[in-house]
Amino acid sequence: MRSFTYERASSPAEAAAAASAEGAKFIAGGTNLLDLMKLEIETPTHLIDVNDLALDRIETTPEGGLRIGALVRNTDLAADERVRRDYGLLSRALLAGASGQLRNKATTAGNLLQRTRCPYFYDTNQPCNKRQPGSGCAAIGGFSRQHAVIGASEMCIATHPSDMAVAMRVLDATVETVRPDGTARSIPIAEFHRLPGDTPHVENALIPGELITAVTLPRPVGGTHIYHKVRDRASYAFALVSAGAIVQRDGTGHIALGGVAHKPWRVEAAEAELPRGAKAVAEQLLADAKPTQENAFKLPLVERTLAAVLAEART
Amino acid sequence: MRFDTPATTNPIDQLKIVGKPTDRIDGPLKTTGTAPYAYEWHDVVPNQAYGYVVGSAIAKGRIASIDLTKARAAPGVLAIVTAENAGKLGKGDWNTAKLLGGPDIQHYHQAIALVVAETFEQARAAAQLVRVDYIRAQGAFDLASAKDSAIVPDGATPDTAVGDFASAFASAPVELDATYTTPDQGHAMMEPHASIAAWDGDKLTLWTSNQMIAWSTGDMAKTLGIPKENIRLISPFIGGGFGGKLFVRSDAVLAVLGARAARRPVKVALARPFMFNNTTHRPATIQRIRIGATRDGKITAIGHESWSGDLPGGGPENAVQQTRLLYAGANRMTATRLAVLDLPEGNAMRAPGEAPGLMALEIAMDEMAEKLDIDPVEFRILNDTQVDPENPDRRFSQRQLVECLRIGAERFGWKTRGVRTGRVREGRWLIGVGVAAGFRNNLLTTSAARVRLDHRGVVTVETDMTDIGTGSYTIIAQTAAEMMGVPLDKVVVRLGDSIFPVSAGSGGQWGANNSTSGVYAACVKLREAVTQKLGFNSAEALFEDGNVRLGSRSVSLAEAAGEAGLVAEDAIEYGNLAKQYQQSTFAAHFVEVGVDVATREIRVRRMLAVCAAGRILNPKSARSQVIGAMTMGVGAALMEELAVDKRHGFFVNHDLAGYEVPVHADIPHQEVVFLDETDPISSPMKAKGVGELGLCGVGAAIANAVYNASGVRVRDYPVTLDKLLSGLPEI
């Protein structure tokens, strides 16, 4: 870990202004950042602690949705009565992730911003375009069982590890931010995470210093909420494949996948196929899939997971 | 004490304390966090500095240059050790690659430098500033590709052949010829390798985490080129070893060198990412098994060949061992081949040989039973042998495999299983059950102890035996209490120090039987010292309730000891009984799994182990050993695999996020049954060991259950869901 300076911010605008300086980073729960700093994958020179900002409330919006403060801990969000009643998918996705101890620390905004778990990203002896732009990608041609099957590039085949983000994508959440100049903006979740392309180190739409203040959910849409996470052990493992879904009585609905791409993977056109069943949906969702030899199993696994989700929705 | 005739009745047979389920006497220290582990001896020497290891970034080649300028100038740095400045170092008997590498690099994350600084954070930060230029060399990293170049290894693993395997197999009416693979596995123990080293002139004290005190003191002496009398090695508490801490490793050598360079005590722990490529691991195997049988299920030919790889000078994974002894059959062969691989070095991991060997053999037995249309339990019983099949004059000292299988089948409800695959379903789960035999040899080795009796009547046992979480403290206390006729709270046990008599140490499930037998021998001598002092006829004296009695005379042990106390020391030494009798432990493992009908996720639902392993000294700690081993078997069967990067030559998933082991949610109901058994051929304790038996066979029982549930036979471990996905019907 490199030496760094540290401050506690007292307002979001002040935090954003301070964070626009070269080498500055926010820290909230620190469940990911601290590990990355120990390995010198992240080497911030200045940390801005945002834990004192009053961003830890869940409020009902005038539109009938929910505004979730950036600092709401994963545990608290999953346990919130309104979330459990109206956005069960979100609660289930959160509880499928990490462990109780980590969820107690991890925040809503931090969860969206967590970095990939690609083992080559974590090993500073290996080339990684995400860690060191231009150095290459060791995962391509390497151990890639966990990696992306769709939306990847010649530069990077990493996945986004979050379960919560998959639920947020299905729920059409909006990410609210404040920029270093003090202005606020709203970023639809669909535009928040990026595909790797030629710049896999740029993972989201935030500009330097921009601070997430809240994540807003629209009015509840009802339906059956399912989060189905497939993994090699029963708990505390990243998804091989996950599916978050809201399915209505008439068979229509929304669906997104985790564990397959550099971001939560949702193709709205595929949702039109929901009444026709898992195979049709999977074909649309994965139309341009380019798996490696080691993770080609994810394609049939997606279809079978969707089938399980649709079967569960019918019961 | 020489043990060369079967044991007769002795004080242990009273079973007042031995054989009773007994809480660990070291339990309160563990649960209150006051048992000091290797990195936590904060107060034993002042002024401890911190060392951080720099590992090689390449798997094979040379260091062209190391630039230490920036690291040396970093805050708090006291010294940097490299092969260039460490002075001449020897190599221990128990490591293959050098523990401080350079300029030649033998494997990925081989230690090439230690940065010593005032604080841990300073050492870690400075370690990142060490600049190394490498010249890469081509290496061999893939066992399957290197298989054809494998040779007969040096040492004690010759090929075996009895009868005429080839003809018998060729003419067998029913036959199986199948190949199985097991992957590289990591020990992944909770406590990483850690050491604190302090020099006092030419005397070295090393607080470390080590299973084998005498081996490691000797290897450290050899590495440093100093007399072993100048080294004191202290390791009373160990946070898991599983064979990974049988030897001196880089943490210990580098702490010692760091302390010499910095002229201060230095502590070093391996960071978790180093645990997989810097230390040892269980090597991957490719195993071919051929079994021929008559139509009524009698094995006529059994052959087992195994290939594994290691660094030049290393050894093979001895996966064929159990096949020489487990089942009958007149015509048999085994062969072991070793390829050169430039991966980190392989070595012992819990039940080396038998664990991966049974993972293959016991699937083969399941496949064979199916071909024969015989129940897998009955097929094993049908081919039981009470003698060494290679040498029928040698009987097993005890062999209750059939009883294990029968009792297990009864308790598990084996009869109600679905014989056809994929037929039993509960909700989203396809249910299957599997069985496998467990087998592990009983290894005998000299073990010594010293016992003192003081004026308070307290018995203190000292031996360099270790407790790696197994319960050694407790069974040694039970043994001394039983022998001296005192309650457990009058026994003090001191372990893991090279100033104590040399014990068997912990490994190969030999620790319990041998170390307690050494304590038994020392206690026999102490009893003689007591009776001699009192002028009692030692054969007739009774030691009970803290007194020694002869007829109407009774003297308390405290009084007998007097102010000066009494001391006795002895060792158990074994004669020829292990040659005359085959000594082994046996188990039957039964497992029920669920396979998700859609996603093919596999979850274990219940497990049963029935064990026949001699006298069980402490049923409570023995059960803990077995359920821990069964848990390790779940990992081996379903998730544990060190993924090899075959281009760059290293284990890629080198942390606990990537190398998955079972979590609590993976472990369901576990039941353990110990058959009532005493083995007087084994030792005066009439015990054997269970720490590895509990693992042996579990993997195959799970794989067989997965087959029973799903109809897909997976021969490549781990059995992961992707291997069940191909060729499935639509859902």
Side-chain angles (χ1 to χ4, degrees):
Chain A
M1 188 185 287
R2 304 252 180 99
S3 296
F4 55 89
T5 51
Y6 172 88
E7 71 175 288
R8 280 178 170 269
S10 54
S11 79
E14 182 193 301
S20 61
E22 182 78 25
K25 270 211 169 279
F26 301 118
I27 185 161
T31 58
N32 192 198
L33 180 62
L34 204 56
D35 284 348
L36 295 170
M37 287 171 66
K38 289 176 185 173
L39 296 165
E40 296 199 9
I41 295 162
E42 295 270 16
T43 53
T45 54
H46 184 62
L47 282 187
I48 299 148
D49 187 330
V50 295
N51 283 299
D52 287 349
L53 306 184
L55 300 174
D56 55 355
R57 280 185 288 278
I58 305 173
E59 298 157 324
T60 309
T61 63
E63 294 76 26
L66 277 189
R67 186 173 188 277
I68 303 158
L71 292 171
V72 173
R73 308 286 153 171
N74 286 178
T75 297
D76 297 329
L77 183 56
D80 185 89
E81 193 186 325
R82 292 159 293 182
V83 172
R84 291 174 60 188
R85 185 184 61 225
D86 298 330
Y87 307 95
L89 167 60
L90 177 58
S91 185
R92 287 175 193 135
L94 282 161
L95 294 175
S99 66
Q101 292 93 329
L102 285 166
R103 293 193 297 267
N104 287 343
K105 288 292 286 179
T107 63
T108 305
N111 191 316
L112 288 177
L113 295 175
Q114 63 181 301
R115 317 253 356 234
T116 184
R117 301 292 166 155
C118 172
Y120 295 98
F121 173 73
Y122 267 81
D123 188 335
T124 50
N125 292 326
Q126 305 304 320
C128 172
N129 288 321
K130 186 181 276 299
R131 174 166 31 79
Q132 202 180 346
S135 62
C137 172
I140 296 174
F143 171 58
S144 59
R145 184 167 182 268
Q146 293 275 352
H147 287 72
V149 293
I150 192 157
S153 73
E154 299 292 306
M155 305 287 277
C156 180
I157 58 171
T159 56
H160 195 271
S162 170
D163 294 296
M164 185 198 81
V166 176
M168 293 294 193
R169 181 70 178 87
V170 177
L171 291 166
D172 288 316
T174 303
V175 181
E176 294 181 20
T177 71
V178 57
R179 285 174 282 200
D181 64 4
T183 58
R185 68 163 169 160
S186 297
I187 307 169
I189 189 77
E191 292 162 28
F192 185 77
H193 291 111
R194 296 169 47 124
L195 288 178
D198 293 336
T199 54
H201 59 291
V202 183
E203 293 171 348
N204 54 58
L206 297 174
I207 63 168
E210 189 168 7
L211 176 73
I212 298 175
T213 51
V215 177
T216 302
L217 301 178
R219 287 171 61 90
V221 296
T224 302
H225 287 226
I226 296 168
Y227 190 73
H228 198 116
K229 181 174 181 178
V230 182
R231 43 189 159 175
D232 289 321
R233 65 180 172 189
S235 179
Y236 202 43
F238 296 100
L240 293 168
V241 159
S242 70
I246 300 174
V247 184
Q248 306 293 348
R249 265 169 201 276
D250 62 3
T252 63
H254 304 302
I255 202 150
L257 301 176
V260 297
H262 199 256
K263 62 179 190 178
W265 192 253
R266 182 174 171 195
V267 178
E268 275 80 352
E271 292 169 1
E273 303 289 338
L274 273 170
R276 292 183 48 217
K279 192 177 177 69
V281 179
E283 272 170 12
Q284 284 268 347
L285 269 172
L286 302 173
D288 297 315
K290 288 191 187 65
T292 69
Q293 205 179 340
E294 289 184 356
N295 66 23
F297 74 92
K298 287 189 178 186
L299 304 188
L301 183 59
V302 163
E303 184 189 325
R304 300 182 73 94
T305 305
L306 292 177
V309 165
L310 296 182
E312 190 184 334
R314 282 192 298 271
T315 56
Chain B
M1 173 183 288
R2 197 158 167 79
F3 183 76
D4 47 16
T5 54
T8 53
T9 302
N10 68 41
I12 297 296
D13 294 318
Q14 301 172 92
L15 298 181
K16 288 180 186 164
I17 299 172
V18 168
K20 295 273 189 292
T22 305
D23 288 351
R24 288 174 194 226
I25 60 170
D26 51 327
L29 289 177
K30 302 279 176 72
T31 51
T32 56
T34 48
Y37 287 87
Y39 204 70
E40 300 171 338
W41 296 95
H42 306 302
D43 304 323
V44 287
V45 276
N47 214 19
Q48 297 174 12
Y50 294 79
Y52 198 87
V53 176
V54 178
S56 169
I58 65 166
K60 189 172 163 70
R62 280 176 69 79
I63 295 172
S65 65
I66 301 190
D67 182 357
L68 302 177
T69 319
K70 277 191 172 168
R72 280 216 174 95
V77 171
L78 300 166
I80 301 176
V81 178
T82 65
E84 224 172 335
N85 66 26
K88 191 174 174 324
L89 294 176
K91 190 185 78 61
D93 292 336
W94 295 99
N95 54 295
T96 304
K98 289 180 177 176
L99 297 172
L100 174 59
D104 291 332
I105 297 297
Q106 294 164 287
H107 63 86
Y108 192 75
H109 273 175
Q110 184 175 27
I112 55 170
L114 182 82
V115 178
V116 182
E118 293 284 354
T119 70
F120 171 79
E121 289 77 11
Q122 288 171 334
R124 183 176 60 188
Q128 294 274 1
L129 298 173
V130 173
R131 289 283 160 265
V132 187
D133 281 329
Y134 298 96
I135 301 162
R136 285 173 194 265
Q138 286 286 88
F141 307 122
D142 180 22
L143 177 60
S145 314
K147 178 174 175 260
D148 291 341
S149 66
I151 56 158
V152 180
D154 295 337
T157 47
D159 292 355
T160 64
V162 172
D164 182 352
F165 171 79
S167 324
F169 182 71
S171 61
V174 181
E175 58 185 43
L176 172 86
D177 181 350
T179 298
Y180 306 85
T181 66
T182 62
D184 296 289
Q185 295 174 345
H187 304 83
M189 67 294 261
M190 270 208 279
E191 182 204 26
H193 290 79
S195 297
I196 301 175
W199 288 94
D200 180 6
D202 59 357
K203 304 274 191 205
L204 169 67
T205 306
L206 187 67
W207 293 265
T208 188
S209 183
N210 191 288
Q211 300 173 227
M212 299 295 294
I213 302 299
W215 290 5
S216 298
T217 309
D219 257 12
M220 184 58 83
K222 210 168 164 186
T223 306
L224 299 174
I226 65 173
K228 68 179 180 199
E229 293 70 31
N230 287 5
I231 300 173
R232 181 166 174 200
L233 200 145
I234 300 171
S235 178
F237 298 104
I238 298 160
F242 308 123
K245 293 175 181 165
L246 290 166
F247 326 111
V248 164
R249 297 296 310 170
S250 64
D251 59 302
V253 170
L254 289 170
V256 167
L257 297 174
R260 189 144 77 183
R263 298 175 186 282
R264 276 173 61 173
V266 167
K267 55 163 62 178
V268 175
L270 293 187
R272 186 58 65 177
F274 281 104
M275 291 296 295
F276 298 90
N277 287 284
N278 178 271
T279 73
T280 59
H281 68 281
R282 188 200 300 283
T285 65
I286 298 171
Q287 301 178 48
R288 181 189 188 196
I289 294 177
R290 285 173 289 172
I291 304 175
T294 60
R295 290 205 190 281
D296 57 0
K298 284 277 188 191
I299 293 174
T300 54
I302 185 162
H304 193 160
E305 298 154 85
S306 173
W307 291 261
S308 61
D310 203 359
L311 288 168
E317 181 69 21
N318 198 0
V320 305
Q321 202 159 256
Q322 70 291 320
T323 308
R324 298 175 60 186
L325 291 161
L326 191 49
Y327 297 113
N331 304 286
R332 37 206 317 132
M333 62 81 68
T334 68
T336 303
R337 295 291 177 271
L338 177 64
V340 168
L341 288 181
D342 298 297
L343 292 169
E345 69 190 76
N347 211 312
M349 181 167 139
R350 200 174 196 171
E354 280 99 337
L358 285 162
M359 285 167 80
L361 177 64
E362 287 296 290
I363 295 183
M365 289 296 286
D366 201 60
E367 295 198 60
M368 199 63 191
E370 188 181 33
K371 279 175 182 261
L372 288 159
D373 200 17
I374 297 177
D375 181 292
V377 169
E378 294 305 322
F379 179 52
R380 289 174 172 88
I381 290 172
L382 194 58
N383 288 288
D384 186 51
T385 173
Q386 292 294 316
V387 297
D388 174 352
E390 291 180 5
N391 180 1
D393 294 337
R394 277 180 87 227
R395 292 189 62 79
F396 282 92
S397 61
Q398 294 278 351
R399 176 167 166 132
Q400 296 200 74
L401 175 61
V402 170
E403 290 78 2
C404 290
L405 287 161
R406 288 223 190 280
I407 290 167
E410 179 66 32
R411 287 186 87 118
F412 195 74
W414 179 255
K415 264 194 310 209
T416 63
R417 81 190 181 114
V419 175
R420 299 285 155 236
T421 61
R423 300 292 172 86
V424 183
R425 186 168 168 176
E426 276 181 38
R428 58 183 269 219
W429 298 101
L430 294 165
I431 310 299
V433 293
V435 64
F439 173 92
R440 173 75 181 165
N441 276 332
N442 182 45
L443 303 173
L444 299 173
T445 176
T446 301
S447 191
R450 183 160 54 223
V451 252
R452 295 174 196 280
L453 177 64
D454 71 14
H455 67 282
R456 299 164 301 163
V458 171
V459 178
T460 300
V461 185
E462 293 173 336
T463 165
D464 84 353
M465 180 59 190
T466 49
D467 189 322
I468 57 175
T470 42
S472 309
Y473 278 103
T474 311
I475 56 172
I476 284 173
Q478 288 173 273
T479 302
E482 192 82 75
M483 288 299 290
M484 299 312 297
V486 298
L488 263 188
D489 62 9
K490 289 281 189 193
V491 180
V492 174
V493 180
R494 301 176 67 201
L495 301 182
D497 191 324
S498 61
I499 63 172
F500 298 151
V502 174
S503 72
S506 296
Q509 80 174 20
W510 63 59
N513 180 46
N514 292 305
S515 72
T516 55
S517 293
V519 173
Y520 170 94
C523 286
V524 167
K525 263 204 177 162
L526 184 60
R527 286 166 63 115
E528 285 165 5
V530 170
T531 51
Q532 196 174 9
K533 188 172 173 193
L534 297 175
F536 285 13
N537 176 340
S538 67
E540 288 168 25
L542 290 176
F543 286 73
E544 53 188 24
D545 305 327
N547 300 306
V548 53
R549 281 202 190 89
L550 186 69
S552 58
R553 275 189 73 191
S554 177
V555 181
S556 77
L557 287 177
E559 194 184 322
E563 274 307 309
L566 289 168
V567 185
E569 181 173 334
D570 201 3
I572 191 80
E573 290 170 282
Y574 297 93
N576 266 334
L577 288 173
K579 288 211 176 88
Q580 292 166 33
Y581 295 89
Q582 177 57 41
Q583 300 188 27
S584 307
T585 62
F586 297 88
H589 289 285
F590 291 83
V591 175
E592 179 180 302
V593 303
V595 175
D596 188 296
V597 70
T599 63
R600 301 282 137 169
E601 283 165 288
I602 304 159
R603 302 289 182 254
V604 175
R605 290 160 59 98
R606 59 191 179 105
M607 309 178 79
L608 166 67
V610 182
C611 303
R615 171 174 284 154
I616 300 303
L617 302 173
N618 179 350
K620 190 169 186 179
S621 55
R623 179 180 182 276
S624 293
Q625 279 292 286
V626 175
I627 63 173
M630 290 157 79
T631 301
M632 210 166 196
V634 173
L638 299 181
M639 59 194 85
E640 291 186 44
E641 174 175 20
L642 289 169
V644 179
D645 188 309
K646 291 167 189 168
R647 306 159 305 170
H648 302 133
F650 71 106
F651 302 129
V652 182
N653 49 341
H654 52 64
D655 59 33
L656 292 177
Y659 186 81
E660 290 183 12
V661 298
V663 295
H664 283 96
D666 292 299
I667 301 304
H669 182 73
Q670 295 178 314
E671 190 183 354
V672 181
V673 175
F674 294 112
L675 296 191
D676 193 13
E677 180 176 298
T678 50
D679 193 339
I681 310 290
S682 170
S683 76
M685 300 301 292
K686 305 174 186 173
K688 291 173 185 165
V690 295
E692 297 183 331
L693 181 66
L695 168 61
C696 293
V698 175
I702 294 169
N704 294 339
V706 170
Y707 174 71
N708 183 239
S710 69
V712 182
R713 181 68 77 181
V714 179
R715 300 185 183 87
D716 302 304
Y717 289 98
V719 184
T720 46
L721 63 90
D722 45 301
K723 295 169 188 171
L724 301 182
L725 279 172
S726 52
L728 281 179
E730 303 233 343
I731 49 169

